[in-house]
Amino acid sequence: MNAYAAHGPSSPIVPFSIDRRDPGAHEVKIDILYCGVCHSDIHTARNEWGNTTFPVVPGHEIVGRVISTGSDVSRYAIGDMVGIGCFVDSCRTCMSCVAGEEQYCDGGVVWTYNSKEKVTLLPTYGGYSTSIVADEQYVLRVSEKLHLPGVAPLLCAGITTYSPLRHWNVGKGTRVGIMGLGGLGHVAVKIAAALGAEVTVISTSAAKEADALKLGAHDFLLSSDDSAMLKRKSHFDFILNTISAQHDYNRFLSLLRLNGTMTLVGIPPEAVPVRANMLTGRRRNLSGSLIGGIKETQEMLDFCEVHDIVSDTEVIPMSYINEAYERILRSDVRYRFVIDMATLKKD
Ligand code: NAP
Ligand code: ZN
Ligand code: ZN
């Protein structure tokens, strides 16, 4: 079936043909309607993390409809609206899997793309394609009440920001900084505001100030403005760092108050240089977080339904993907590209 793939770190994303099997006993086959474009797709397609096996079919923010089901499937029926996020399988027996945090599986997560299936050892191919087959346990229920293109990014950007915000008990009275107003950052603003926090967007883009406030932030901090940065010194309880490229972490750690925490979700390819006294001086914490488990992803989708949260999207045809990558790298997207997969079927 039709897909789009990168064949090497400097190749564009081009049309490609892949096989999808009929669903096994516990699997469902999903007709993909929309797929979000995550910055991780770019890191992987360009082998910036040094772990890509080519050809790679990116895409892990998938929304679609079940079109066939295996004989033992009980959770989903043909016609159901569902989603798939960053992984499609895990060992199911380690402590993390049993705790519902499959993303930290000790036995090896099977990622939605750039991974190998457990039994067949075949490569996994992601959502830049017309359909996907996955075990029903790794499939999420999606409400048809929400704007569907806007739901797709919740499957990665949504859970990646919801999980650390919940883990660090962000809520009423918490002063939260969201670093980087991109795909992850703009969803983080909506979720943190819905949790009742006092939200500040910390951005390199002065032009995003009005949007930040519209998205639900209470304040905007331009990170290049030294005097504004100084005024927010030791101000925040919690900072979520979604920045995708190398930057000076120390400059932003100074914004945390006593016992404050910065959680990294952005994964720049370069190492992170941190000065120890930036942590010791106010007993600050520096932590990281990776997406979220299936149970928490469903909780996040239900939370977003209740609070009417979806991603702000620019819907694009599949053939626009290479321009979309360039625009993401220029921080020129308001705020997530989502591919309308009907445009691939017509190719
Ligand atoms: P994105 O849409 O490109 O947003 C990143 C934002 O970072 C930009 O909009 C920009 O915001 C800011 N930024 C970019 N370059 C910068 C620079 N040189 N210095 C300072 N700020 C810069 O990307 P995304 O899809 O949200 O993903 C963000 C990162 O999270 C990526 O590294 C991605 O791989 C990673 N990620 C991690 C997980 C996880 O589980 N941990 C999951 C998904 C994605 P402003 O214009 O506001 O400055
Ligand atoms: Zn992602
Ligand atoms: Zn496991």
Side-chain angles (χ1 to χ4, degrees):
M1 60 198 44
N2 292 335
Y4 262 56
H7 290 276
S10 50
S11 100
I13 313 290
V14 292
F16 182 59
S17 216
I18 58 171
D19 290 325
R20 297 283 195 202
R21 61 167 173 273
D22 289 333
H26 298 278
E27 292 179 327
V28 297
K29 189 168 200 169
I30 299 162
D31 174 40
I32 301 177
L33 297 175
Y34 297 101
C35 181
V37 181
C38 178
H39 205 119
S40 301
D41 298 352
I42 306 180
H43 292 310
T44 306
R46 301 192 173 178
N47 198 20
E48 291 174 356
W49 292 327
N51 66 354
T52 307
T53 304
F54 292 98
V56 64
V57 176
H60 59 206
E61 295 183 338
I62 297 167
V63 163
R65 208 179 275 287
V66 174
I67 47 170
S68 62
T69 57
S71 53
D72 295 337
V73 166
S74 58
R75 297 184 187 197
Y76 298 106
I78 291 173
D80 285 353
M81 192 61 72
V82 293
I84 287 189
C86 297
F87 56 92
V88 287
D89 205 355
S90 65
C91 87
R92 307 175 192 214
T93 55
C94 74
M95 265 172 60
S96 298
C97 283
V98 170
E101 298 200 304
E102 302 90 347
Q103 75 276 28
Y104 302 122
C105 173
D106 295 325
V109 183
V110 179
W111 304 107
T112 303
Y113 61 81
N114 193 35
S115 204
K116 275 194 173 31
E117 290 188 347
K118 282 213 177 296
V119 178
T120 65
L121 299 182
L122 288 167
T124 57
Y125 291 127
Y128 297 2
S129 59
T130 51
S131 69
I132 189 164
V133 176
D135 188 300
E136 63 169 341
Q137 283 192 44
Y138 295 81
V139 172
L140 288 307
R141 194 171 297 284
V142 162
S143 164
E144 297 204 37
K145 285 190 216 140
L146 292 172
H147 176 65
L148 285 179
V151 173
L154 300 179
L155 274 305
C156 174
I159 183 59
T160 299
T161 55
Y162 180 84
S163 184
L165 289 167
R166 297 285 292 139
H167 180 81
W168 292 96
N169 296 316
V170 164
K172 224 173 165 42
T174 318
R175 289 178 177 175
V176 174
I178 306 294
M179 283 172 65
L181 196 62
L184 264 55
H186 91 287
V187 177
V189 170
K190 294 187 184 198
I191 293 174
L195 289 169
E198 187 187 310
V199 183
T200 300
V201 167
I202 308 169
S203 170
T204 61
S205 306
K208 292 182 182 173
E209 177 164 3
D211 284 352
L213 302 180
K214 252 188 264 158
L215 290 163
H218 308 92
D219 197 5
F220 181 85
L221 174 54
L222 184 63
S223 55
S224 57
D225 180 341
D226 288 338
S227 73
M229 287 287 280
L230 205 59
K231 264 191 224 149
R232 306 312 198 293
K233 194 166 176 248
S234 304
H235 175 81
F236 294 101
D237 300 297
F238 181 77
I239 293 179
L240 189 67
N241 183 339
T242 79
I243 294 181
S244 52
Q246 196 172 32
H247 58 283
D248 180 4
Y249 289 80
N250 303 295
R251 184 171 168 79
F252 297 93
L253 283 168
S254 71
L255 302 174
L256 288 173
R257 69 203 296 183
L258 178 67
N259 296 326
T261 295
M262 178 187 287
T263 295
L264 309 181
V265 288
I267 313 174
E270 301 82 8
V272 178
V274 171
R275 285 210 307 275
N277 68 341
M278 277 302 157
L279 301 175
T280 56
R282 295 278 191 290
R283 198 165 50 200
R284 295 174 176 125
N285 305 295
L286 180 59
S287 72
S289 186
L290 184 69
I291 42 176
I294 293 295
K295 188 164 165 272
E296 195 173 38
T297 305
Q298 192 64 62
E299 179 187 307
M300 175 277 308
L301 286 168
D302 298 345
F303 177 90
C304 288
E305 185 183 353
V306 170
H307 293 273
D308 205 15
I309 293 174
V310 289
S311 168
D312 290 12
T313 60
E314 181 175 335
V315 177
I316 57 169
M318 186 70 247
S319 58
Y320 188 74
I321 190 68
N322 296 295
E323 284 95 323
Y325 277 18
E326 292 310 317
R327 283 184 52 197
I328 291 170
L329 291 171
R330 294 197 301 269
S331 298
D332 175 25
V333 48
R334 303 284 191 276
Y335 278 91
R336 195 58 135 190
F337 289 115
V338 172
I339 304 158
D340 176 356
M341 222 37 84
T343 63
L344 178 56
K345 289 175 190 126
K346 286 182 210 139
D347 277 2

